[in-house]
Amino acid sequence: MTALADITELLRRMESPGTFATRFNAAASALSIRVDGVGKLRLPITVATARNLIAHSAPACYGYQEETRLDARVRDTAEIARTRIDIDEARWRGPLAAHLTRIRRSLGLPAGAVLRAEVHSLLVYGPGQHFKPHRDSEKSDRMIGTLVVNLPSSFSGGSIEIRHGEQVLRVAGSARELTLIAFYADCVHEVLPVKKGYRVVLTFNLILDAKRGAEAARVPAKHALRNSIQRFFASPPPLRWKGDDQRPLPDRLVYLLDHQYTRQSLRWDLLKSADAKRADALRQAGLELDCEMALALADVHETWACEDAYDGRGRRWYAYDDDEEEEEEEDDGRGGPSDYELTDLIDSDVELRHWVGSDGAVGKIATSIAASELCFTIPSNEFEPFESEHEGFTGNAGNTVEHWYHRAAIVLWPRQRDFEIRAKAAPRWAIRQVARALEDDRRAAALDMARRLLPFWKAVSWQATSPALCGTTLKAAARLDDPALAAALLDPFAITLVEARAASSMLALLAAYGLPWWRKLLRAWAAARHDHYDPAQAPWVRDELPEICRALCVVPLHQGSALAQVMADRSWEWLESQIRLATDLRLPSERERELRSLAGPFLGIVRACSHAGGDDLSRQAIQLLANDNRFWSLSIEVLRAAHSRKAGREDPRLRLNLLHAHCTAMLNEWLDQPVRAADDWSVRDPVPGSGPLHAAFVQFLRASRQIRKEWPLAKQSRREIHRFIDEGGLPLTHVTRHTGRPFTLVLEKTAKLFEREATQRKSWIKTLQWLRETEAEFRS
């Protein structure tokens, strides 16, 4: 048996004598109640009294996330607020204290705990009224549960059903006595529809006033638990597959608690029942093993294989109320069978958030948990998920359902590995610790921490895609005075995470390690980018690169300009590859759209060159566009981007005047060509391809007098012609006439040929007018 399995089994045996909910009857004579507008209530409650209470009540609302809602489909009951309720405290105080002591013991709270009950409201359920499954919100800082006091009355139906995992307690009422029902606030419960009569209840918030007893709990198998935890942290997790020999030691032990908690209730002294007992056991073992300990909220996501349920209904185990007034088991009114039944767990993941340390300090670091670090005594699928998504059979996909749960956990980890464990969850915190040690002249400590990051740094830092972590790492790496260690810390990042405000750190790295070191790092970043598409590359080249180059060249340091030129060269290599990819697109509309999208990055590189003195690169980039008419739309977009940035006068070295002159000359040349004659049906669009079929098709396109062509072709040849037309966006219709062998493909040129050219010519005229208006702006 693995150490994790041993720990799970040992914790499972540490059951609390308490339960999740309790019920008992008490004499009604101890409770005297007055209600404003109604007067003193005579017990048992009569039908007339119940109706009078309803007449002086309001419909009850319920909470949904941050909202308060009124919906009788969810909650249908009458409510009287506590401000209108007056209980004879002198008469009720003694019996209530005895009841609360009994409830404390039943719920498994320690002897040092003191419960207090605060009146919340009085509720009246008439025939058909109900409250759908829900959890009670924590209405005060130390609320731990709910007390429901059923006032004696004659009614049927209306039982309250309380669930915790797979356990369910269903309680009806009594016609002669008070029925007290107490349960933890995280328990899902519902009030089933009343059939006859009226159910009248007082509800109280159970408040835990005193802290738990200071005496240490007696932990069974204490040494066995400590030894199993020690073995757990000293052993790598089991093999996941053959050859999986790179298995680091587990970072933490995570135990999912039996009860659920909110941010407000996640406190060491508010742990419930067996959770508190197991927390004490883990705390004692952790102290002996020098471990840190924390509470955390956990988001659990599970994917299950499932089978559709066609008939029948699964039955729960019920702990039925044994009151002598209990009527026959009623229909719960919850509808038909489930749509599916869970079979096998396919995948699961757990993320911890909102930490509470052993000292009560709160943190909000999110971190994922490996399955090999996780144990529990109640599986998540025994709870109600807060969200579900069922996907039935789709094609080759199986029948699956995804469930999401909110749970809480106790987390234990060795104090000697505290830095590494925290660093995995918060990489920026870790690199700040390195930087702080350097600032305090503790270089040896900084180097030690930096080296301890290396085994997992690449695995965690790629998740932190914010420029802030990269900037902090750049700054720390420059002060390490260790070029290999600095490069290893920066290797997981990307050039797109470098901002202009990090220029001072870049210069410090340049001064510390030299330009060859920077070239190597930029090559490594570029190689990683080729493997993974980075959508941030284009906006970074457009916006950040020019500003970085400007900042690098402000300092009178020749190497700063050299680094700026290297960065511009690397960016141009990327942009050239993107231009080639766009040019190779077959559909003209896609090709033009992709080329136009590169205008911003193109201008960014030209601007970067103007700061870095990269005249040769700037000239090369401008000539690429000016020497190929395929790039005329990209050229126009570059000029428009420069105009919007007012970059035309930024620096003569931008050479945008050359591009402006080229576009003007090109449009003048196109507009000097005669307008298409009304009887000229030639299609001059380029159609890439080769072979006899392609040549015959192009011949038809170029024919100025031929509008229609009936062409007997085999199926494969017809498909090829269809592809030519669709990919080229040609103004042709194509219809297959299914007569004869082979079938006949009927091609016909359409009037869109003339409409398209007229629209294009208007666009040229408008663009040329804009070029003339902006000529002075782009004059060098």
Side-chain angles (χ1 to χ4, degrees), residues 125-126 297 404 434:
Y125 290 84
L297 294 179
W404 286 265
V434 175

Side-chain angles (χ1 to χ4, degrees), residues 495-530:
I495 190 65
T496 53
L497 297 176
V498 179
E499 294 182 320
R501 58 184 175 181
S504 59
S505 298
M506 297 173 71
L507 289 171
L509 284 162
L510 184 64
Y513 309 130
L515 187 60
W517 180 92
W518 257 115
R519 287 182 184 274
K520 186 176 180 180
L521 178 63
L522 291 172
R523 281 197 301 271
W525 282 349
R529 188 176 66 243
H530 288 317

Side-chain angles (χ1 to χ4, degrees), residues 548-690:
I548 290 173
C549 291
R550 185 203 300 270
L552 290 176
C553 298
V554 166
V555 179
L557 177 68
H558 174 69
Q559 290 289 320
S561 297
L563 177 57
Q565 290 179 33
V566 170
M567 296 182 70
D569 288 340
R570 288 284 176 192
S571 297
W572 176 245
E573 290 177 9
W574 166 81
L575 184 60
E576 270 194 311
S577 69
Q578 297 303 303
I579 291 175
R580 285 195 300 271
L581 290 172
T583 307
D584 290 340
L585 292 172
R586 287 183 174 272
L587 291 178
S589 58
E590 291 184 5
R591 183 166 59 246
E592 291 301 305
R593 183 172 61 251
E594 288 302 312
L595 284 172
R596 286 195 296 269
S597 72
L598 299 175
F602 187 96
L603 180 62
I605 290 174
V606 174
R607 292 177 61 218
C609 290
S610 73
H611 299 310
D615 293 343
D616 291 341
L617 177 57
S618 180
R619 186 182 299 108
Q620 177 187 349
I622 296 296
Q623 286 178 349
L624 174 69
L625 300 193
N627 292 340
D628 195 330
N629 288 349
R630 293 179 301 171
F631 301 140
W632 85 274
S633 59
L634 172 56
S635 301
I636 293 297
E637 287 299 315
V638 170
L639 294 173
R640 290 190 185 278
H643 172 71
S644 66
R645 285 180 173 269
K646 298 182 180 180
R649 296 185 181 275
E650 185 175 292
D651 194 316
R653 288 176 295 181
L654 288 178
R655 300 181 183 278
L656 295 178
N657 60 311
L658 301 178
L659 195 59
H660 189 280
H662 165 71
C663 291
T664 302
M666 182 172 55
L667 286 175
N668 277 319
E669 180 183 344
W670 289 349
L671 289 169
D672 283 343
Q673 296 175 3
V675 178
R676 177 187 290 272
D679 59 350
D680 181 4
W681 288 87
S682 61
V683 179
R684 301 157 191 158
D685 300 49
V687 182
S690 60

Side-chain angles (χ1 to χ4, degrees), residues 266-288:
L266 190 68
R267 297 168 55 165
W268 293 102
D269 59 339
L270 293 182
L271 293 180
K272 303 162 185 172
S273 190
D275 289 345
K277 187 171 185 178
R278 290 163 183 155
D280 287 338
L282 290 170
R283 181 183 293 110
Q284 291 183 39
L287 287 172
E288 293 185 20

Side-chain angles (χ1 to χ4, degrees), residues 453-469:
L453 293 175
L454 294 185
F456 58 85
W457 186 242
K458 194 167 187 176
V460 298
S461 59
W462 72 268
Q463 302 175 43
T465 55
S466 70
L469 176 60

